[in-house]
Amino acid sequence: MQYVNIFDSHAHYDDAAFDEDREQLLAALPGAGVRLVVNCGADLASSRKAAALAREYPYFYAAAGIHPEEAHDLPEDWEDELKALLSQPREVAVGEIGLDYHFDENPPREAQRDVFQKQIILANSLGLPVIIHDRDAHGDTMELLQKHRPRGVVHCFSGSVEMAKEVLRLGMYIGLGGAVTFKNARVPVEVAKMVPPDRLLLETDCPYMAPVPFRGKRNDSSLIAYTAARIAEIRGEDAQELIDCAFRNASRLFLGNENATGD
Ligand SMILES: [Zn+2]
């Protein structure tokens, strides 16, 4: 499956799953049709690693943020640290940030909401988009998005068609990844059908969420080809045209220019 012009809007190449062969893998991405990648931070340490990747690879950009599962034991000056990181070149978003109520052992909801809200306010003050993680927290997530109206994307969208409509009404983008290809995917398929072409982003969330036929294996940006092929099939569109369209959308959101080259 060979496509070109792939923009992976959400990756975690700082993850230990890539420690063994990160260099070879990242060097091979352009040859596999991957043109640009946004590597997301999940805490201060991984946000620093994301920044380092963006310095090293001309086709990488970085996002910095505190993931809801990391919204505990933060240093007192975490907001200043984040702000300093985000002021570096090739930092294009605050992310990934949001709410995750899935596991009981996650940080208390109040703490999650506080850290989330502060980061949305920070993004707005810096004029940067947000990359939103929402797991089993749709109501509270939407409430804060409606209150602060950031630009951005709800990644690995797992909400209903109704919620997707709300996200779109706020002017935000919807990120779709490997979950669309899963056998039991019903709602993601419905969402993939209804997202307007100019609001759809493609993503991996790698090393997680590999599309069928690689489900459960380590994911990487080249596998977006499979996700795009499935979404195109659902929508009755051409896969390369969908990839091109998602490229323009991600470039518009993160780089402020539809024809961004990555230079
Ligand atoms: Zn992620």
Side-chain angles (χ1 to χ4, degrees):
M1 224 182 259
Q2 184 62 44
Y3 300 111
V4 295
N5 224 15
I6 290 170
F7 193 140
D8 186 350
S9 63
H10 192 114
H12 297 279
Y13 284 110
D14 53 284
D15 192 281
F18 297 108
D19 280 354
E20 245 168 53
D21 60 346
R22 184 175 292 105
E23 231 167 276
Q24 296 104 286
L25 180 74
L26 298 191
L29 290 181
V34 179
R35 197 166 148 199
L36 292 177
V37 175
V38 172
N39 199 87
C40 297
D43 55 18
L44 289 172
S46 70
S47 295
R48 276 183 215 111
K49 286 183 191 164
L53 286 171
R55 276 194 299 273
E56 193 172 343
Y57 295 91
Y59 41 96
F60 266 61
Y61 288 92
I66 312 289
H67 188 283
E69 287 178 87
E70 307 298 332
H72 59 90
D73 302 326
L74 294 171
E76 199 137 295
D77 62 345
W78 69 270
E79 281 179 273
D80 294 335
E81 284 238 23
L82 205 55
K83 205 170 168 181
L85 264 170
L86 288 163
S87 66
Q88 293 181 36
R90 304 187 75 80
E91 292 286 332
V92 295
V94 179
E96 62 179 292
I97 63 174
L99 300 173
D100 193 321
Y101 296 167
H102 188 68
F103 295 111
D104 289 338
E105 57 273 28
N106 283 356
R109 293 176 180 199
E110 196 54 42
Q112 289 191 36
R113 281 194 290 264
D114 179 53
V115 170
F116 181 30
Q117 175 155 258
K118 283 180 172 146
Q119 292 181 98
I120 304 178
I121 292 170
L122 177 63
N124 283 349
S125 76
L126 295 173
L128 288 171
V130 292
I131 298 171
I132 302 292
H133 171 103
D134 158 31
R135 195 175 185 197
D136 299 340
H138 302 325
D140 285 1
T141 299
M142 287 314 299
E143 193 187 311
L144 285 172
L145 293 180
Q146 257 143 8
K147 183 170 167 198
H148 296 289
R149 306 294 296 253
R151 292 191 300 126
V153 55
V154 180
H155 110 88
C156 192
F157 189 83
S158 62
S160 61
V161 168
E162 253 336 286
M163 179 177 163
K165 285 182 187 160
E166 274 181 70
V167 167
L168 293 166
R169 266 199 294 274
L170 291 176
M172 297 181 77
Y173 292 77
I174 289 188
L176 294 175
V180 175
T181 68
F182 296 171
K183 243 205 179 102
N184 54 355
R186 191 179 53 82
V187 179
V189 166
E190 282 173 32
V191 171
K193 224 179 263 176
M194 61 72 76
V195 180
D198 61 345
R199 296 291 193 84
L200 181 112
L201 301 190
L202 294 171
E203 64 167 63
T204 53
D205 204 14
C206 65
Y208 314 105
M209 301 298 274
V212 172
F214 302 97
R215 187 172 183 180
K217 304 223 169 75
R218 187 180 73 172
N219 198 1
D220 72 70
S221 307
S222 68
L223 300 184
I224 278 188
Y226 294 86
T227 304
R230 176 70 183 121
I231 296 173
E233 182 189 31
I234 292 165
R235 295 166 68 92
E237 292 172 3
D238 175 77
Q240 183 61 60
E241 276 174 31
L242 182 95
I243 288 170
D244 292 342
C245 185
F247 183 93
R248 288 193 296 274
N249 297 340
S251 300
R252 191 187 315 118
L253 176 64
F254 294 120
L255 311 173
N257 174 1
E258 284 201 358
N259 302 307
T261 60
D263 301 327

